[in-house]
């Protein structure tokens, strides 16, 4: 019950209807949220980097990496009874919060690289992104409501509902 923080390099799956999964201060990281409306399961991954440079599973925390964390999130939801065909998938984050010299830009565009990696892994996993809120220059706080998959995003400038919830109107 209550709010469950999903910190950097973490993944959480929850079935408690009155719970909220929350990731605070998302900058260049990406947050992937998956909701199965039929069995009311919500999962959130807070990934730091697009790929694990060592490519050795288990050598480091796999949830820090989009390429390893997304399949683990999907598997965790499926183990609790979720069906991939019913998943609603959301992608948030990937901001460019650091100013970098032009010559270093491609190396340090981690936010953009995270978004590209997340889209590629989700496509490979045959999951369509229902709604996304990515890029820009401001960090975000993401709240994901287990009861109905409602997703809210808060930036310094505003708070808005990205997805009103399964069966809800915006």
């Amino acid at each position: 019950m209550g709010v469950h923080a999903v910190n950097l390099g973490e993944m959480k799956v929850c079935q408690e209807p009155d719970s909220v999964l929350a990731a605070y201060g998302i900058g260049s990281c990406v947050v992937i949220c998956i909701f199965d409306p039929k069995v009311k399961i919500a999962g959130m991954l807070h990934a730091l980097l697009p790929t694990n440079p060592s490519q050795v599973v288990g050598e480091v925390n796999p949830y820090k990496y989009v390429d390893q964390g997304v399949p683990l999130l999907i598997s965790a939801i499926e183990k609790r009874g979720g069906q991939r065909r019913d998943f609603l998938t959301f992608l948030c984050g990937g901001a460019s919060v650091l100013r970098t010299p032009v010559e270093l830009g491609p190396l340090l565009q981690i936010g953009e690289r995270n978004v590209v990696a997340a889209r590629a892994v989700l496509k490979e996993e045959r999951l369509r992104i229902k709604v996304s809120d990515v890029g820009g220059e401001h960090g975000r706080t993401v709240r994901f409501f287990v009861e109905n998959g409602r997703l809210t995003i808060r930036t310094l400038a505003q708070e808005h509902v990205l997805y009103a919830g399964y069966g809800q109107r915006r």
Side-chain angles (χ1 to χ4, degrees):
M1 293 184 168
V3 176
H4 303 278
V6 181
N7 298 311
L8 180 69
E10 283 189 343
M11 184 266 299
K12 290 188 181 171
V13 175
C14 186
Q15 286 182 279
E16 299 166 356
D18 55 349
S19 292
V20 178
L21 298 174
Y24 301 99
I26 305 305
S28 61
C29 293
V30 288
V31 170
I32 294 99
C33 299
I34 298 176
F35 179 68
D36 185 323
K38 293 199 175 159
V39 291
K40 305 283 189 189
I41 299 173
M44 178 184 282
L45 170 70
H46 182 169
L48 172 68
L49 295 169
T51 59
N52 179 349
S54 74
Q55 292 301 314
V56 178
V57 178
E59 195 170 286
V60 293
N61 175 1
Y63 302 117
K64 288 171 54 175
Y65 306 100
V66 174
D67 66 337
Q68 292 180 350
V70 170
L72 292 171
L73 173 62
I74 293 166
S75 176
I77 294 171
E78 288 176 332
K79 284 178 182 171
R80 290 189 177 199
Q83 297 291 318
R84 189 181 299 241
R85 69 177 175 265
D86 298 323
F87 289 178
L88 302 176
T89 306
F90 309 95
L91 174 60
C92 308
S96 295
V97 294
L98 300 174
R99 299 279 181 234
T100 59
V102 175
E103 64 275 6
L104 294 178
L107 293 174
L108 298 178
Q109 292 174 334
I110 295 170
E112 185 177 320
R113 290 175 37 223
N114 280 337
V115 170
V116 168
R119 286 185 171 143
V121 172
L122 290 168
K123 182 177 181 179
E124 185 178 302
E125 293 287 343
R126 297 180 317 278
L127 293 178
R128 187 173 66 67
I129 298 169
K130 181 155 186 70
V131 182
S132 66
D133 186 64
V134 297
E137 297 178 346
H138 300 287
R140 298 164 171 82
T141 291
V142 178
R143 285 193 166 86
F144 193 36
F145 296 78
V146 177
E147 179 181 19
N148 61 7
R150 180 175 184 231
L151 187 69
T152 64
I153 305 289
R154 170 175 237 140
T155 63
L156 291 176
Q158 65 179 355
E159 180 172 10
H160 63 277
V161 175
L162 188 62
Y163 180 70
Y166 187 72
Q168 305 296 311
R169 292 183 185 223
R170 212 171 192 190

